[in-house]
Amino acid sequence: MDTENNIACEKVAVVENQEESESFTKIKSKKTQKRKRDQDGADMDTADSVVAHKRPQFPPISGDQLRGPDEMRKVAVPAHRYTPLKENWLKIFTPIVENLQLQVRFNLKTRNVEIKTCKETQDISALTKAADFVKAFILGFQVEDALALIRLDELFLESFDVTDVKPLKGDHLSRAIGRIAGKGGKTKFTIENVTKTRIVLADTKVHILGSFQNIKMARTAICNLILGSPPSKVYGNIRVVASRTAERF
């Protein structure tokens, strides 16, 4: 009898456990849900990257279609540059017409150098190069130095005023300009040779022609001179920076 009672009790307990298990619903753990989300996100990323790699391919455009209507650039000429422009006109005219295939003229009424594209113009950037070349000459650079803007791509012009660095007046301004030039132009020539740039001092304006990195070196040296640093200290700093850039390249 005891055994029968024990078996009956065990059966009742099993039935109760089954009923309890059926009454409770299983809940998925947060970790598994997070893993599924990460996997779905990874799948979407891979799908997007596959779509992004498919770039559209267009046939090359011919030169006639690429070139729109004729464009013109005007460069104003101040009164003190008329005579140098007249004397060097042939040197300016020849590379613009023969090398860049552009049309150029000096308008006597408006006092502007006008540069225009034509049918023979092949390079799109030719007009910008020619305008920079003429502008560099009018700012005071030699024709030979300004020609580098046509021949090389990585050359730029930068202009700033001495008073932009430090608001000086009277004799203080004159002394700052004198420090930049040096005795007989010695300081200016030294900065040009070390930084491989060309510098023009026109009253309180400073114009620098060169590559981006070299312009930065020359500008830093000139700013230090304006702020009152002695030339010997500026020479040392320039040489250190120039040697570092030479090692880097």
Side-chain angles (χ1 to χ4, degrees), residues 5 10 16 22 42 48 87 100 117 187 232 246:
N5 290 332
E10 286 176 2
E16 286 177 356
E22 288 175 359
D48 292 339
E87 290 172 354
L100 298 177
T117 58
T187 307
S232 58

Side-chain angles (χ1 to χ4, degrees), residues 17-217:
N17 288 333
Q18 286 178 353
E19 288 176 356
E20 286 176 2
S21 62
E22 288 175 359
S23 62
F24 291 106
T25 57
K26 287 186 178 181
I27 298 171
K28 294 180 180 178
S29 65
K30 291 182 179 179
K31 288 183 179 180
T32 55
Q33 290 178 358
K34 192 175 180 182
R35 282 175 193 165
K36 281 188 177 180
R37 282 179 201 161
D38 294 339
Q39 287 176 358
D40 293 340
D43 294 339
M44 287 177 68
D45 291 339
T46 52
D48 292 339
S49 61
V50 169
V51 172
H53 282 304
K54 291 181 180 178
R55 295 179 180 177
Q57 292 182 353
F58 300 106
I61 301 172
S62 63
D64 296 333
Q65 291 176 338
L66 195 62
R67 186 178 64 248
D70 291 340
E71 295 181 26
M72 181 185 283
R73 295 283 178 90
K74 295 179 181 179
V75 182
V77 182
H80 69 281
R81 295 300 291 172
Y82 293 157
T83 306
L85 183 69
K86 189 177 178 181
E87 290 172 354
N88 295 284
W89 180 249
L90 199 61
K91 292 180 182 178
I92 295 167
F93 172 87
T94 307
I96 292 174
V97 175
E98 291 184 0
N99 297 343
L100 298 177
Q101 307 293 324
L102 296 168
Q103 295 177 349
V104 62
R105 70 171 184 178
F106 180 64
N107 194 327
L108 292 169
K109 290 182 180 178
T110 58
R111 300 287 186 178
N112 289 333
V113 176
E114 296 176 354
I115 308 163
K116 187 180 176 184
T117 58
C118 59
K119 291 180 181 179
E120 287 77 18
T121 309
Q122 296 176 354
D123 190 4
I124 305 168
S125 62
L127 191 65
T128 307
K129 285 183 179 179
D132 289 342
F133 166 56
V134 174
K135 186 182 176 184
F137 175 77
I138 286 164
L139 288 175
F141 291 98
Q142 297 291 326
V143 180
E144 290 76 15
D145 296 333
L147 264 174
L149 286 165
I150 293 177
R151 291 175 181 165
L152 303 173
D153 291 331
E154 301 298 324
L155 287 183
F156 305 96
L157 272 171
E158 182 165 334
S159 302
F160 64 93
D161 204 304
V162 173
T163 53
D164 294 340
V165 181
K166 192 176 183 182
L168 300 169
K169 293 180 182 177
D171 291 340
H172 298 291
L173 181 61
S174 303
R175 279 194 289 272
I177 295 166
R179 278 198 300 276
I180 297 168
K183 187 178 180 180
K186 180 184 172 184
T187 307
K188 183 174 82 78
F189 291 141
T190 306
I191 295 170
E192 284 180 344
N193 292 334
V194 174
T195 59
K196 296 176 184 176
T197 55
R198 288 289 175 268
I199 300 167
V200 168
L201 280 171
D203 195 21
T204 60
K205 292 278 185 185
V206 180
H207 309 292
I208 309 172
L209 169 67
S211 66
F212 179 79
Q213 194 70 27
N214 294 343
I215 286 174
K216 186 181 176 183
M217 282 195 293

